[in-house]
Amino acid sequence: MKAKGSDLIPVLSIAGSDCSGGAGIQADLKTFSAHNLFGMSVVLSVVAQNTARVISVHDIPAQSVDEQMLAVFEDIVPKATKIGMIGTCELMECVARNLEKFKPQNIVIDPVMFAKNGFALMPQENCDFFKKTIVKFADILTPNIPEAEFLCDFKIKNEEDMIKAAKYLCTQGAKAVLLKGGHSEENANDVLFDGNEIFILKGERIETKNTHGTGCTLSSAIASNLALGKDLYNAVSEAKEYVRNAIYYSLNLGKGCGPTNHFF
Ligand code: PLP
């Protein structure tokens, strides 16, 4: 019998691996699958962690990252690329070089700095280098408030500060910024700046400790929606709705912050 064959749109995650399956590349691939897309991955770091703690981080040599990028881009060109944890300046340089070389479309960059338990996945001293080498590739950058504070070098206390931060990050080269308000004391609204206009996206706080992987899931859902041809505003609002459900139906797994549920 001859196979019928079918077409799935390819998408790529360039990020760290979370062996416990809740965040990082594992969350991204589940999100891509939930959007009926074909997920691919370039692994930058291997994080030994679970829902309660990070045990170690081992970075992949730049040569292997170059080769993974070549393997992907010479064969299956992604319609969107999500970039997550890049812990070291060497990896930032390497990723920047490869983005320059392969020029992927629809780049979503989540400037991952901390695991949910506070463990630093990108040391603070690498922030300036990240801003210089990586931010300019973002079609959309998706920091939360603590990450935006490090990138902007000022405190964010309210919605006005969030708007100021989103605009500032666009002056640093990002084409658009989604500043996530989950850490705000005011409300859980997000600020989207598309380079022209500010949109306030209303957020509802859902009570649960199971939020491991929410940032990864949101950025990969935005990448998924862009790959599916949605415009930026709809890609972001639909991704927010997806994450809302992923948190609402989150999983009581592990001893710490459990993972989100990608297939609710
Ligand atoms: N990327 C990796 C590889 C991680 O291990 C983690 C968190 O532990 C993150 C990203 C950030 O996860 P979250 O989506 O919970 O912010």
Side-chain angles (χ1 to χ4, degrees), residues 16-18 23-24 47 49 85 112 114-116 121 211-216:
S17 158
D18 168 8
V47 183
Q49 70 164 317
M85 172 194 171
V112 173
F114 308 99
K116 280 285 174 303
L121 296 170
T211 54
H212 182 61
T214 46
C216 304

Side-chain angles (χ1 to χ4, degrees), residues 15-20 22-28 45-50 53-54 57 82 84-86 110 112-117 119 121 144 147 180 183 211-219 257 260:
S17 158
D18 168 8
C19 58
S20 68
I25 280 181
Q26 286 78 355
D28 297 339
S45 302
V46 175
V47 183
Q49 70 164 317
N50 53 38
R53 66 177 181 132
V54 176
V57 177
K82 173 253 158 89
M85 172 194 171
I86 320 181
D110 184 14
V112 173
M113 292 184 193
F114 308 99
K116 280 285 174 303
N117 54 26
F119 187 97
L121 296 170
N144 58 30
E147 290 159 352
K180 300 174 287 189
H183 292 75
T211 54
H212 182 61
T214 46
C216 304
T217 301
L218 178 68
S219 51
C257 298
T260 56

Side-chain angles (χ1 to χ4, degrees), residues 31-46:
T31 305
F32 297 153
S33 289
H35 286 78
N36 200 27
L37 299 167
F38 181 74
M40 303 182 285
S41 62
V42 166
V43 184
L44 299 180
S45 302
V46 175

Side-chain angles (χ1 to χ4, degrees), residues 28-182:
D28 297 339
L29 292 175
K30 288 171 198 178
T31 305
F32 297 153
S33 289
H35 286 78
N36 200 27
L37 299 167
F38 181 74
M40 303 182 285
S41 62
V42 166
V43 184
L44 299 180
S45 302
V46 175
V47 183
Q49 70 164 317
N50 53 38
T51 61
R53 66 177 181 132
V54 176
I55 296 169
S56 65
V57 177
H58 287 278
D59 298 313
I60 301 296
Q63 188 189 335
S64 164
V65 174
D66 287 340
E67 289 162 358
Q68 293 179 69
M69 289 291 288
L70 175 64
V72 168
F73 279 90
E74 76 175 10
D75 193 24
I76 306 177
V77 177
K79 278 269 188 302
T81 295
K82 173 253 158 89
I83 300 175
M85 172 194 171
I86 320 181
T88 68
C89 294
E90 193 192 358
L91 283 170
M92 289 172 200
E93 234 162 25
C94 169
V95 169
R97 179 162 25 84
N98 279 284
L99 295 175
E100 211 63 87
K101 181 171 169 190
F102 295 111
K103 302 194 175 359
Q105 52 178 321
N106 295 321
I107 301 179
V108 182
I109 301 182
D110 184 14
V112 173
M113 292 184 193
F114 308 99
K116 280 285 174 303
N117 54 26
F119 187 97
L121 296 170
M122 184 217 284
Q124 201 182 323
E125 63 267 22
N126 294 352
C127 227
D128 275 347
F129 198 74
F130 180 86
K131 206 154 77 174
K132 219 164 36 195
T133 52
I134 298 294
V135 165
K136 63 181 173 218
F137 292 103
D139 287 305
I140 178 164
L141 185 74
T142 64
N144 58 30
I145 288 178
E147 290 159 352
E149 287 181 335
F150 281 117
L151 289 170
C152 298
D153 218 7
F154 59 79
K155 280 273 161 213
I156 298 173
K157 291 187 222 74
N158 49 37
E159 209 161 89
E160 205 180 305
D161 293 340
M162 288 175 72
I163 293 171
K164 189 170 127 195
K167 286 186 170 168
Y168 167 77
L169 289 170
C170 278
T171 68
Q172 301 302 297
K175 288 185 198 68
V177 172
L178 175 70
L179 210 171
K180 300 174 287 189

